């Protein structure tokens, strides 16, 4: 039977420079019964121990990601949003041309459909039926009793942000109340985009386009925790976009970073400057939010027919004003979340450095929908609304679509009321449920800013609509205020407002009023497509992001020489007369530490006994940076490297065999490698937050 051993060894002293650490190393001897009944991960494994041959050191392996994209003919980016999604692509031979996906079948009048709603429909047998407008329209046309059998899901992306213990088995709830595996739904959605994109590329090329020709980029919020980012990668593997063996084919891009990359290219005519005192694009600062924004929207509407955007290979005028070390904030406000990221410019290449780790929260435009739902509950009763959603799921979807189009018409200077059509089945079901009319309910509700119109509509005053936006916008402004208090964020030059919710004039006005005197506030004209186009640029040149902040502390469990008075008695482990402190958390890197793209942290270990046939290295993570032991609260196992040491008979193996361990940081995914120097055998593992 093979004998395995965990990673122990490496000093736990607090020397600032590990090269100066003068602790001596001894090979841990064979197992002895522990002196304490204390339950520790190390003891339960029966590990004998590994000792280090060298202190850790950092290797800047900046070439590791260079030119990977050369083997791909095209980069396709998928902006998988909470409320709407889309894709765009660029051929690597024509990086200045970004093509946004085909116009979608269906769609709402007056609403741009260069994206499609993030809605998915499964048949009663739980097989994929349709996505986007097609799913919504088909579901809408179903007979109410039949609709109850179909599984319709929308706004499901937020589940990845709000689920604390996300796993591969996490469920989603369809509109009819039935449960379905989240991984299955995300994989179906990504597979749909894959098929759409490959079909469009094949039509354009005049021949079959292979998946292997494509580098895929999927965008995720920067504030998502590591399990959610990994979940997206697993769903992409299941959808066939890439595979674990060819993981470089898929890049998980952070949404504010993608926006940042695109904003670098902006020319003056491609943006609106809210904080401008002088005229910009023919708008003066005083009228930018009102008339100026109307002109800008008209400009976008006129140019919507064109799906190809030219990105000049230059730095835009705004960007050219930035100097080495200048800072700017990207506020990415989408349907589900708001992401705040602070970047700093690095010259001469204009590379980006993440200066302050991403913050934000669930303050997207969905918050306005929840406020509307609360208003309906206040008028008609929570019990009725809950029943209506279950009994008439398709009609509830129709009602929220009607609200969405009116929501987009809300503006600070609006004076005329907004009418929201109530589906006939709402009016009919309410009468059956309560025994009186919708109009009667409105009269009795004490909600005086919502009236009933004889055309079967809810008539909301502009103040009533604006009140629905207030809690969400207040949360965003408060979060930004907190961010501006941080020393790293003082002297910010620009604030770029991007994402679908950034189209809302109410949000623009609030940001301008709160921060217009602190920095210049810029909105790209095609604000809803900023992230999508930036993601394509990122796929063409992944090395443009140079420095990120590590969201977590990473390390391994080690044995340390036991020191009386310094180490807890319950951690004492005696092996062949040597006293060890077990379960010491030895850091590779700390939370919030700056990490260069492709940076490697390297360590060398040696097996405790020459007879060992398998080495097991367990990797741990924590959100805190002051971690001492792998048993501390919040420390989670997130990776295992298992290295087979057999097959060396007849080979001259040195007395102190070197096992080199490397962790590569800086990308949205983290990889660990162990190499047996004597045989060149190696194992790799991606850090796994879903299966431990």
């Amino acid at each position: 039977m093979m004998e395995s051993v965990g990673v122990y060894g490496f000093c736990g002293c607090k020397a600032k420079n590990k090269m100066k650490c003068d602790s001596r190393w001894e090979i841990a001897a064979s197992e002895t019964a522990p002196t304490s009944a204390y339950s520790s991960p190390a003891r339960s494994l029966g590990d004998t121990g590994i000792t280090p041959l060298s202190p850790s050191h950092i290797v800047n392996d900046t070439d590791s990601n260079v030119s990977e994209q050369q083997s791909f003919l095209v980069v396709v980016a998928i902006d998988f949003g909470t409320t709407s999604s889309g894709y765009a692509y660029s051929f690597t031979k024509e990086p200045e041309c970004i093509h946004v996906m085909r116009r979608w079948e269906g769609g709402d009048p007056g609403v741009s459909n260069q994206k499609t709603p993030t809605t998915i429909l499964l048949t009663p047998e739980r097989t994929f039926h349709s996505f986007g407008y097609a799913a919504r329209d088909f579901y809408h046309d179903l007979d109410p009793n039949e609709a109850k059998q179909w599984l319709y899901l929308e706004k499901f992306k937020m589940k990845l942000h709000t689920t604390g213990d996300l796993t591969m088995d996490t469920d989603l709830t369809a509109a009819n109340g039935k449960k379905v595996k989240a991984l299955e739904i995300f994989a179906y959605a990504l597979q749909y985009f894959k098929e759409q994109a490959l079909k469009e590329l094949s039509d354009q090329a005049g021949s079959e386009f292979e998946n292997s020709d494509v580098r895929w980029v999927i965008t995720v919020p920067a504030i998502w925790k590591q399990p959610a980012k990994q979940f997206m990668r697993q769903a992409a593997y299941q959808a066939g976009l890439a595979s674990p063996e060819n993981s470089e084919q898929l890049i998980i891009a952070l949404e504010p970073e993608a926006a940042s990359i695109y904003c670098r290219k902006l020319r003056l005519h491609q943006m609106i400057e809210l904080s401008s005192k002088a005229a910009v694009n023919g708008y003066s600062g005083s009228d930018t939010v009102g008339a100026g924004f109307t002109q800008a929207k008209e400009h976008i509407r006129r140019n919507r027919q064109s799906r190809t955007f030219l990105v000049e290979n230059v730095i835009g005028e705004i960007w050219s004003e930035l100097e080495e070390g200048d800072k700017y904030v990207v506020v990415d406000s989408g349907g589900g979340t708001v992401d705040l990221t602070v970047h700093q410019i690095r010259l001469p290449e204009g590379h980006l450095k993440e200066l302050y780790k991403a913050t934000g929260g669930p303050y997207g435009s969905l918050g306005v929908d929840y406020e509307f739902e609360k208003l309906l509950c206040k008028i008609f009763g929570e019990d009725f609304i809950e029943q209506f959603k279950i009994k008439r799921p398709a009609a509830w979807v129709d009602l929220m679509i009607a609200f969405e189009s009116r929501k987009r018409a809300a503006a600070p200077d609006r004076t005329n009321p907004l009418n929201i059509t109530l589906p006939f089945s709402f009016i009919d079901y309410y009468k059956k449920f309560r025994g009186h009319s919708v109009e009667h309910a409105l009269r009795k509700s004490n909600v005086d800013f919502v009236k009933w119109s004889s055309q079967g509509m809810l008539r909301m005053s502009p103040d009533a609509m604006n009140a629905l936006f207030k809690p969400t916008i207040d949360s965003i402004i408060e979060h930004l205020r907190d961010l501006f208090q941080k020393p790293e964020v003082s002297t910010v030059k620009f604030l770029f407002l991007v994402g679908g919710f950034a189209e809302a004039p109410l949000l623009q006005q609030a940001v301008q009023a709160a921060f217009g005197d602190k920095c210049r506030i810029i909105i790209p004209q095609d604000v809803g497509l900023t992230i999508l186009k930036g993601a394509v640029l990122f796929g063409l040149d992944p090395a443009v992001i140079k420095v990120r902040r590590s969201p977590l502390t990473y390390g391994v469990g080690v044995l340390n020489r036991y020191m009386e008075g310094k180490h807890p008695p319950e951690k004492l482990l005696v092996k062949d007369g040597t006293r060890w402190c077990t379960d010491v958390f030895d850091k590779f890197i700390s939370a919030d530490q700056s990490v260069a793209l492709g940076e490697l942290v390297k360590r060398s270990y040696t097996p405790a006994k020459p007879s060992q046939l398998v080495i097991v290295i367990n990797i741990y993570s924590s959100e805190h940076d002051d971690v001492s032991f792998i048993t501390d609260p919040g420390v989670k196992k997130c990776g295992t490297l298992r290295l087979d040491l057999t097959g060396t008979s007849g080979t001259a193996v040195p007395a102190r065999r070197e096992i080199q361990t490397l962790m590569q940081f800086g990308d949205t995914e983290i990889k660990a490698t162990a190499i047996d120097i004597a045989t060149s055998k190696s194992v790799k593992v991606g850090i796994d937050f879903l299966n431990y």
Side-chain angles (χ1 to χ4, degrees):
M1 187 177 157
M2 278 194 172
E3 189 179 343
S4 73
V5 62
V7 171
Y8 299 101
F10 209 91
C11 160
C13 79
K14 301 292 180 193
K16 284 204 167 61
N17 181 347
K18 293 201 181 218
M19 298 297 283
K20 293 180 180 168
C21 166
D22 60 357
S23 295
R24 297 190 170 190
W25 301 110
E26 292 179 26
I27 296 175
S30 58
E31 302 90 328
T32 306
T35 57
S36 154
Y38 177 78
S39 170
S40 99
R43 287 174 187 165
S44 64
L45 293 168
D47 293 330
T48 52
I50 290 180
T51 64
L53 285 172
S54 68
S56 70
H57 60 285
I58 288 172
V59 183
N60 278 321
D61 183 15
T62 49
D63 295 331
S64 61
N65 290 308
V66 173
S67 300
E68 277 175 2
Q69 71 269 28
Q70 294 311 313
S71 58
F72 301 106
L73 298 178
V74 67
V75 169
V76 179
I78 300 171
D79 179 5
F80 196 122
T82 303
T83 50
S84 61
S85 298
Y87 69 83
Y89 60 92
S90 179
F91 293 97
T92 48
K93 287 197 169 101
E94 294 180 307
E96 68 285 351
C97 285
I98 297 176
H99 309 270
V100 176
M101 66 185 188
R102 286 200 172 117
R103 296 177 70 78
W104 297 90
E105 54 186 284
D108 303 322
V111 176
S112 161
N113 59 351
Q114 283 184 316
K115 285 188 177 179
T116 193
T118 310
T119 53
I120 195 165
L121 183 64
L122 305 189
T123 66
E125 294 73 41
R126 296 175 173 253
T127 58
F128 175 80
H129 180 272
S130 48
F131 187 89
Y133 287 117
R136 213 181 66 180
D137 296 347
F138 187 91
Y139 186 59
H140 164 86
D141 293 338
L142 286 170
D143 172 82
N145 287 324
E146 203 184 344
K148 289 180 204 168
Q149 306 307 313
W150 290 66
L151 284 81
Y152 179 84
L153 294 102
E154 60 179 355
K155 298 164 188 166
F156 50 85
K157 181 183 168 190
M158 275 301 281
K159 183 81 173 183
L160 300 194
H161 180 69
T162 54
T163 305
D165 54 347
L166 186 70
T167 69
M168 305 288 262
D169 293 322
T170 294
D171 285 328
L172 295 172
T173 307
N176 62 0
K178 290 182 179 169
K179 300 260 192 245
V180 61
K181 290 273 174 283
L183 190 68
E184 203 175 298
I185 295 300
F186 279 84
Y188 274 145
L190 291 171
Q191 191 174 353
Y192 170 79
F193 279 112
K194 173 190 162 190
E195 287 167 6
Q196 291 285 319
L198 287 177
K199 184 175 186 311
E200 182 171 345
L201 289 165
S202 298
D203 290 351
Q204 212 170 349
S207 59
E208 198 66 25
F209 222 88
E210 298 295 330
N211 186 64
S212 56
D213 296 328
V214 181
R215 161 168 264 167
W216 296 95
V217 182
I218 299 174
T219 63
V220 300
I223 55 165
W224 268 12
K225 295 199 183 316
Q226 296 300 104
K229 292 173 185 172
Q230 184 190 333
F231 188 95
M232 214 59 173
R233 179 167 279 274
Q234 293 300 328
Y237 289 161
Q238 192 159 315
L241 273 68
S243 64
E245 298 72 40
N246 190 17
S247 60
E248 292 78 15
Q249 190 178 359
L250 170 67
I251 296 174
I252 302 291
L254 306 183
E255 286 162 7
E257 284 186 353
S260 207
I261 292 163
Y262 180 65
C263 287
R264 295 193 326 154
K265 305 276 189 182
L266 285 177
R267 309 305 301 264
L268 283 177
H269 63 86
Q270 295 170 310
M271 60 197 173
I272 306 151
E273 184 164 356
L274 292 189
S275 47
S276 174
K277 301 291 177 279
V280 173
N281 309 344
Y283 319 139
S284 71
S286 59
D287 69 8
T288 307
V289 176
F293 194 72
T294 309
Q295 289 177 44
K297 286 214 284 195
E298 191 52 46
H299 171 80
I300 297 166
R301 203 171 284 123
R302 281 200 304 272
N303 286 283
R304 241 177 220 153
Q305 300 312 313
S306 166
R307 296 190 314 103
T308 301
F309 294 85
L310 288 176
V311 182
E312 296 171 68
N313 192 21
V314 294
I315 298 297
E317 291 96 337
I318 283 280
W319 214 265
S320 61
E321 294 178 33
L322 288 169
E323 296 168 2
E324 174 81 46
D326 277 352
K327 306 165 193 173
Y328 61 96
V329 178
V330 177
V331 180
D332 168 22
S333 41
T337 54
V338 166
D339 252 347
L340 314 176
T341 309
V342 185
H343 282 154
Q344 189 173 39
I345 200 84
R346 298 176 79 193
L347 297 177
E349 304 93 342
H351 287 138
L352 310 180
K353 175 182 180 180
E354 186 184 6
L355 198 65
Y356 184 76
K357 70 178 177 185
T359 60
Y363 318 128
S365 62
L366 276 190
V368 185
D369 299 353
Y370 294 142
E371 289 300 316
F372 178 61
E373 192 176 322
K374 273 162 65 178
L375 178 66
L376 292 177
C377 289
K378 192 173 175 185
I379 297 169
F380 302 109
E382 196 173 332
D383 55 342
F384 167 72
I385 295 297
E386 286 308 311
Q387 274 301 302
F388 180 70
K389 282 160 81 173
I390 293 164
K391 300 286 187 192
R392 304 281 188 275
W396 173 256
V397 169
D398 285 349
L399 175 54
M400 293 313 289
I401 292 165
F403 174 69
E404 177 68 27
S405 63
R406 305 324 297 144
K407 182 172 90 174
R408 288 166 184 259
D413 51 358
R414 189 181 177 98
T415 53
N416 51 327
L418 293 133
N419 293 324
I420 297 159
T421 306
L422 283 182
F424 172 74
S425 60
F426 185 100
I427 298 164
D428 182 55
Y429 190 69
Y430 184 78
K431 182 113 189 187
K432 287 177 184 160
F433 190 88
R434 285 273 189 256
H436 57 245
S437 69
V438 161
E439 189 179 357
H440 177 78
L442 270 160
R443 276 203 308 272
K444 287 194 66 178
S445 69
N446 299 327
V447 179
D448 51 3
F449 43 73
V450 181
K451 306 287 184 214
W452 178 248
S453 100
S454 53
Q455 288 84 33
M457 296 177 179
L458 289 179
R459 179 164 286 171
M460 293 183 73
S461 72
D463 286 348
M465 180 60 87
N466 295 359
L468 299 181
F469 280 78
K470 193 174 184 313
T472 303
I473 289 177
D474 285 353
S475 295
I476 295 169
I477 299 299
E478 188 184 339
H479 219 88
L480 267 168
R481 282 216 173 93
D482 289 347
L483 185 67
F484 272 90
Q485 299 300 316
K486 311 281 184 214
E488 301 97 320
V489 190
S490 57
T491 66
V492 160
K493 265 203 175 173
F494 296 109
L495 185 153
F496 290 100
L497 193 57
V498 303
F501 195 27
E503 292 176 2
L506 290 167
L507 176 60
Q508 293 174 11
Q509 187 194 51
V511 172
Q512 161 61 18
F515 307 104
D517 58 340
K518 291 185 172 63
C519 57
R520 290 165 67 183
I521 295 162
I522 311 286
I523 302 178
Q525 282 201 342
D526 49 354
V527 64
L529 298 173
T530 302
I531 290 157
L532 190 49
K533 290 191 271 188
V536 174
L537 294 172
F538 186 35
L540 291 165
D541 180 16
V544 69
I545 303 288
K546 281 297 183 200
V547 180
R548 283 209 178 94
R549 294 270 168 169
S550 175
L552 297 171
T553 297
Y554 293 95
V556 293
V558 301
L559 281 183
N560 187 15
R561 291 299 292 273
Y562 187 82
M563 292 174 68
E564 208 73 54
K566 178 187 170 187
H567 294 134
E570 66 269 20
K571 295 289 183 190
L572 175 62
L573 186 67
V574 179
K575 294 194 173 196
D576 270 12
T578 304
R579 289 155 64 83
W580 296 98
C581 177
T582 189
D583 301 329
V584 174
F585 184 105
D586 184 60
K587 287 181 202 172
F588 273 76
I589 204 155
S590 294
D592 209 25
Q593 188 174 330
S594 286
V595 192
L597 191 75
E599 195 165 282
L600 292 169
V601 179
K602 191 183 285 189
R603 273 198 186 67
S604 292
Y605 297 99
T606 190
K609 294 190 297 187
S611 60
Q612 280 170 212
L613 301 179
V614 174
I615 287 177
V616 178
I617 299 170
N618 289 316
I619 302 161
Y620 296 88
S621 67
S622 171
E623 289 183 14
H624 310 289
D625 59 1
D626 56 342
V627 187
S628 301
F629 298 100
I630 60 173
T631 51
D632 285 356
V635 176
K636 291 178 181 163
K637 186 169 156 188
C638 60
T640 298
L641 287 161
R642 191 177 294 272
L643 188 59
D644 182 0
L645 300 184
T646 57
T648 54
S649 56
T651 311
V653 177
R656 301 199 80 194
R657 191 169 188 169
E658 184 179 354
I659 308 298
Q660 206 172 74
T661 308
L662 305 102
M663 278 186 84
Q664 185 176 30
F665 296 93
D667 201 352
T668 39
E669 286 82 41
I670 293 154
K671 300 180 180 80
T673 310
I675 306 161
D676 180 4
I677 299 300
T679 63
S680 297
K681 274 190 183 178
S682 70
V683 286
K684 289 186 180 181
V685 67
I687 302 302
D688 188 343
F689 297 95
L690 295 169
N691 294 308
Y692 284 96

